[in-house]
């Protein structure tokens, strides 16, 4: 499924992705752990449990949505995805309008961001520094979603506004 992500299909593997994977990701993904080495937030057990639930929910949504889309692409008649509703396009492709993808057009981004936020929440609330990742990642995902919306508008033409009408929310069902 990684080979069908926007990073590979649209941007290609070049300097930006290589630099990101080798320098940016290790810095941002370890920021919270490095912060915790010197700053114990002493979070109570209920807070830790809530953070763990948020992380698991994010993982479930992220992997579930991506897995559902990948399974539908491979074989839309497979038993695990045959029940899903879709919108046929003039291009001859199908856009999912039920399951995870009926909830929001970028529901996988929501799950991914929730996991990142949970890592930041473990550091407590005494500094904004460990929240750099969640803030940066949120901006990145919104920018990517807006950019992808433009690509999809060009790709699907008149079908794209119909699809957006069927799945009106971008990230959070009922909200945004």
């Amino acid at each position: 499924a990684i080979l069908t992500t926007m990073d590979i299909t649209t941007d290609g593997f070049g300097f930006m992705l290589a630099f990101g994977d080798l320098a940016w990701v290790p810095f941002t993904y370890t920021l919270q752990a490095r912060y915790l080495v010197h700053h114990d937030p002493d979070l109570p057990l209920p807070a830790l449990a809530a953070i763990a639930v948020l992380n698991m929910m994010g993982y479930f949504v992220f992997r579930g949505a991506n897995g559902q889309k990948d399974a539908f692409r491979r074989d839309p008649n497979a038993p695990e995805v045959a029940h899903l509703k879709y919108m046929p396009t003039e291009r001859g492709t199908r856009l999912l309008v039920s399951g995870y993808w009926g909830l929001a057009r970028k529901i996988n981004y929501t799950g991914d961001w929730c996991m990142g936020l949970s890592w930041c929440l473990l550091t407590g609330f005494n500094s904004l520094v460990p929240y750099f990742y969640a803030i940066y990642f949120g901006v990145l995902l919104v920018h990517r979603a807006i950019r992808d919306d433009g690509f999809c508008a060009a790709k699907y033409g008149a079908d794209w506004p119909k699809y957006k009408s069927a799945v009106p929310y971008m990230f959070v069902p009922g909200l945004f």
Side-chain angles (χ1 to χ4, degrees), residues 57-67 107-109 111-112 115:
M57 185 269 315
Y59 182 80
F60 180 76
V61 170
F62 177 72
R63 294 294 301 155
N66 285 331
I107 195 74
N108 58 330
Y109 289 5
D112 204 3
M115 286 189 292

Side-chain angles (χ1 to χ4, degrees), residues 129-174:
V129 171
Y131 286 86
F132 171 78
Y133 176 73
I135 295 165
Y136 167 78
F137 196 42
V139 170
L140 178 134
L141 292 175
V142 169
H143 175 264
R144 180 181 283 184
I146 291 168
R147 191 175 67 155
D148 191 41
D149 191 68
F151 289 143
C152 289
K155 180 178 179 179
Y156 294 108
D159 288 326
W160 191 244
K162 294 175 194 169
Y163 173 70
K164 287 174 72 170
S165 183
V167 184
Y169 300 104
M170 189 175 284
F171 295 108
V172 180

